Amino acid sequence: MRRTLLQAFQWELEANSNHWNLLGEEIDYFKELGINALWLPPAPKGAAGVNDVGYGTYDLYDLGEFDQKDTVPTKYGTKAEYINAIKKLQKNQIEVYADIVFNHFMGADETEQVSAVKYSWDNRNQQISDEEEIEAWTRFTFPGRQGKYNDYVWTWRNFSGVDYDAHNKDHAIFNLADKGWLSDVDSENGNFDYLMGCNLDMTYEETVQQLDRWGKWFLAETDVDGFRLDAVKHIQFDFFVDWLLRRRKEKGAPLFVVGEYWTDELDKLENYIDSSGNLIYLFDVPLHFNLYQASRSNGDFDLREIFTGTLVESRPDYAVTFVDNHDTQKGQSLESWIDGWFKVHAYALILLRKIGTPTVFWGDLYGIPTQNIGAVGKSLEYLLKIRCHLAYGNEVDYFDDPNCIGWVHTGEFEKELSGFAVVLTNADANQKEMTISAIHAGKTFVDVLQNNETKVVLDENGRGEFPVNGGQISVYVNEDVAELIWKQ
């Protein structure tokens, strides 16, 4: 399956509990664009109730079914609506991937007295206090659910750290009961086991058992096709191996699994892929930062190096490429928003290439109204349609100029209208001589993005001169195809 993945949410969606229903209504649009897989936001109830984006996990078993945190539905809707949306998508040959947040819990129901040691925010290997007793929000009883599906009560024993002492009103990183931190995690800040909230202790057997029990229940309830794993750099690197192998056995089929490991250090991503038994794809964060830098360099970025040091270059079979996401959008802690003039360039670089699994961001497809950010528009829709219908044959690169690069897909003889040429620049207007294929000899190609009005007639070898305006991108397709795309 050649996936085209949509991240089906953005951080500032309206908290109207209608998103699951909306996804079902958009199926025809997704299919028109060739989107055949959706990454859905976290379904479990979060600590902030209806306003929780889903990453403040409170109760894994409450998918919008119980009156907890002042709401029955989540930000996105009820459990019944969630299941219904999944079934409708799958019925239309669109795979569904659930977002799994196993790093932390938040919003505990009760406090507990527990011994703890304080550690430095900047160096989690540096102890900065003696052992002391703190009052920690670590007891999760889920009173609104009353034991349905699972009656386990989570206590401080399930966690290795918290960031608040309710007795002294002290915000700090506390390691509980002298447990220490896991060593097989990212080395940022000395040790990045602890991120936020009540940090799950993956060395405590009952924690692992409960997460496995929930995974079996969740898969049986939802029948999703895969998972997006949150914050894997903070979780023991091999934790998910057994968990995923059991889910695959229960599903009776492979699962598509992508992890979020936020770093631009390629060697760390490669190490994680190896440590997780080659079961988990990763988002290509280094490529995102290359795109970000290119968008902000005022033409000084060498476009020939756009894929240098990226996961799609190093481990293409495990790279999930993206332009922006909910964490990089404006106002978020990892903000690195790709400037608008380069947005279509960036999407062409992931959607119209053979390698990598590209992800389209909801905020780019639909806009972010609360931030006055409009959708990328027709250009993004055209790129998606080209990927779906025309991206056949061999791929030939013309990465021979620091400010102007191009590539072609040759097309296939059996698919008469397939094939295309891409040329983009981050500086002055330019042109590039490229050969698509002799099977297109004498055909006229036009810029489907309508940035350049030139009609390029290919010679007997399928070669032509493809112009591009300053700071723009042009994608040349057979003029008959262009007419069809524009009319849709």
Side-chain angles (χ1 to χ4, degrees):
M1 173 181 175
R2 184 172 68 179
R3 292 178 177 84
T4 302
L5 176 60
L6 173 67
Q7 179 183 349
F9 65 102
Q10 51 98 354
W11 196 270
E12 298 198 5
L13 287 177
E14 185 179 354
N16 59 9
S17 301
N18 191 50
H19 194 60
W20 302 142
N21 292 331
L22 174 63
L23 295 180
E25 296 167 2
E26 292 293 287
I27 286 174
D28 288 344
Y29 180 53
F30 299 152
K31 294 183 71 174
E32 177 189 334
L33 299 181
I35 291 168
N36 55 13
L38 261 62
W39 154 24
L40 303 188
K45 187 72 60 68
V50 75
N51 293 306
D52 204 299
V53 176
Y55 296 101
T57 305
Y58 167 65
D59 185 356
L60 290 170
Y61 285 94
D62 184 357
L63 306 181
E65 185 178 4
F66 305 99
D67 189 355
Q68 300 190 109
K69 300 302 179 184
D70 300 319
T71 181
V72 173
T74 67
K75 180 176 185 176
Y76 310 109
T78 66
K79 177 185 178 182
E81 292 165 343
Y82 179 57
I83 302 298
N84 184 54
I86 292 170
K87 288 180 178 178
K88 287 180 69 175
L89 288 161
Q90 292 174 330
K91 185 178 179 180
N92 284 275
Q93 292 75 52
I94 298 175
E95 291 192 344
V96 177
Y97 311 140
D99 203 322
I100 305 300
V101 186
F102 274 180
N103 181 71
H104 52 269
F105 281 5
M106 302 182 80
D109 301 298
E110 302 171 14
T111 62
E112 298 178 290
Q113 301 295 317
V114 57
S115 65
V117 173
K118 195 181 301 185
Y119 280 79
S120 167
W121 285 101
D122 299 326
N123 182 359
R124 278 80 182 282
N125 292 320
Q126 182 181 351
Q127 181 177 326
I128 59 174
S129 80
D130 294 327
E131 190 168 350
E132 57 185 302
E133 188 162 284
I134 66 170
E135 183 182 357
W137 286 96
T138 48
R139 187 173 174 85
F140 293 78
T141 61
F142 316 115
R145 182 159 52 83
Q146 298 184 334
K148 186 175 181 179
Y149 304 127
N150 180 289
D151 61 2
Y152 187 77
V153 173
W154 294 72
T155 71
W156 67 265
R157 291 176 178 82
N158 298 104
F159 309 110
S160 61
V162 296
D163 59 3
Y164 183 65
D165 172 12
H167 178 71
N168 294 311
K169 296 180 172 53
D170 186 6
H171 292 273
I173 295 180
F174 295 95
N175 184 247
L176 304 180
D178 198 26
K179 290 186 176 187
W181 307 114
L182 292 171
S183 59
D184 202 13
V185 294
D186 191 81
S187 59
E188 188 176 344
N189 294 322
N191 178 294
F192 224 166
D193 181 6
Y194 185 83
L195 176 63
M196 65 175 72
C198 298
N199 189 72
L200 270 65
D201 180 3
M202 300 305 191
T203 66
Y204 187 57
E205 187 175 353
E206 288 187 16
T207 298
V208 175
Q209 290 172 348
Q210 288 301 318
L211 294 179
D212 186 60
R213 182 175 176 181
W214 176 81
K216 182 177 182 179
W217 171 85
F218 179 80
L219 189 58
E221 293 284 312
T222 64
D223 195 34
V224 293
D225 304 291
F227 304 105
R228 181 266 186 187
L229 306 177
D230 183 60
V232 296
K233 68 187 283 185
H234 308 281
I235 300 170
Q236 183 174 307
F237 286 168
D238 63 357
F239 166 77
F240 280 107
V241 173
D242 289 340
W243 193 89
L244 287 171
L245 288 174
R246 283 191 282 270
R247 301 296 83 79
R248 289 175 65 165
K249 185 176 181 180
E250 292 156 6
K251 178 78 173 178
L255 293 163
F256 179 81
V257 184
V258 57
E260 179 228 11
Y261 193 122
W262 196 260
T263 182
D264 61 358
E265 297 179 55
L266 179 60
D267 59 331
K268 290 185 175 182
L269 300 180
E270 293 173 330
N271 177 63
Y272 186 84
I273 290 170
D274 295 336
S275 299
S276 59
N278 287 340
L279 296 176
I280 301 174
Y281 293 62
L282 290 178
F283 289 108
D284 196 344
V285 179
L287 176 58
H288 163 75
F289 280 112
N290 281 0
L291 297 172
Y292 175 66
Q293 291 164 13
S295 80
R296 300 175 67 85
S297 66
N298 197 30
D300 288 336
F301 191 94
D302 188 339
L303 293 175
R304 296 171 300 182
E305 304 298 323
I306 197 73
F307 294 111
T308 299
T310 65
L311 192 62
V312 79
E313 177 189 55
S314 169
R315 302 280 183 93
D317 291 341
Y318 288 89
V320 177
T321 54
F322 69 102
V323 174
D324 275 306
N325 65 25
H326 63 295
D327 285 324
T328 70
Q329 70 183 85
K330 293 183 178 181
Q332 297 307 308
S333 59
L334 301 175
E335 179 182 337
S336 45
W337 189 249
I338 307 296
D339 281 358
W341 75 272
F342 198 74
K343 202 70 134 171
V344 180
H345 293 59
Y347 270 112
L349 286 160
I350 69 169
L351 289 172
L352 303 187
R353 306 284 296 176
K354 279 186 171 292
I355 56 177
T357 300
T359 308
V360 175
F361 179 43
W362 184 277
D364 288 327
L365 192 60
Y366 289 90
I368 306 175
T370 56
Q371 296 180 334
N372 295 315
I373 295 174
V376 174
K378 289 293 184 181
S379 293
L380 179 53
E381 294 182 350
Y382 295 160
L383 294 181
L384 283 161
K385 291 176 182 178
I386 292 168
R387 174 177 173 81
C388 181
H389 300 294
L390 306 183
Y392 295 96
N394 295 322
E395 183 176 87
V396 183
D397 287 340
Y398 294 82
F399 284 31
D400 51 8
D401 184 285
N403 297 113
C404 183
I405 60 173
W407 68 93
V408 304
H409 277 209
T410 62
E412 294 179 353
F413 186 77
E414 296 78 12
K415 299 181 184 295
E416 181 182 356
L417 300 180
S418 64
F420 57 84
V422 181
V423 58
L424 59 89
T425 176
N426 62 353
D428 296 333
N430 210 323
Q431 62 181 12
K432 194 166 291 292
E433 182 180 282
M434 298 186 288
T435 300
I436 300 181
S437 171
I439 64 176
H440 304 293
K443 299 295 184 180
T444 300
F445 277 61
V446 298
D447 178 13
V448 73
L449 303 182
Q450 299 178 299
N451 290 330
N452 192 290
E453 297 179 354
T454 303
K455 292 190 174 186
V456 180
V457 180
L458 304 187
D459 68 13
E460 67 276 11
N461 295 316
R463 182 169 55 231
E465 288 277 355
F466 298 91
V468 60
N469 295 342
Q472 291 189 349
I473 174 174
S474 290
V475 181
Y476 289 87
V477 303
N478 185 300
E479 62 179 345
D480 294 334
V481 175
E483 291 292 341
L484 292 173
I485 291 175
W486 294 331
K487 288 177 181 178
Q488 289 180 348

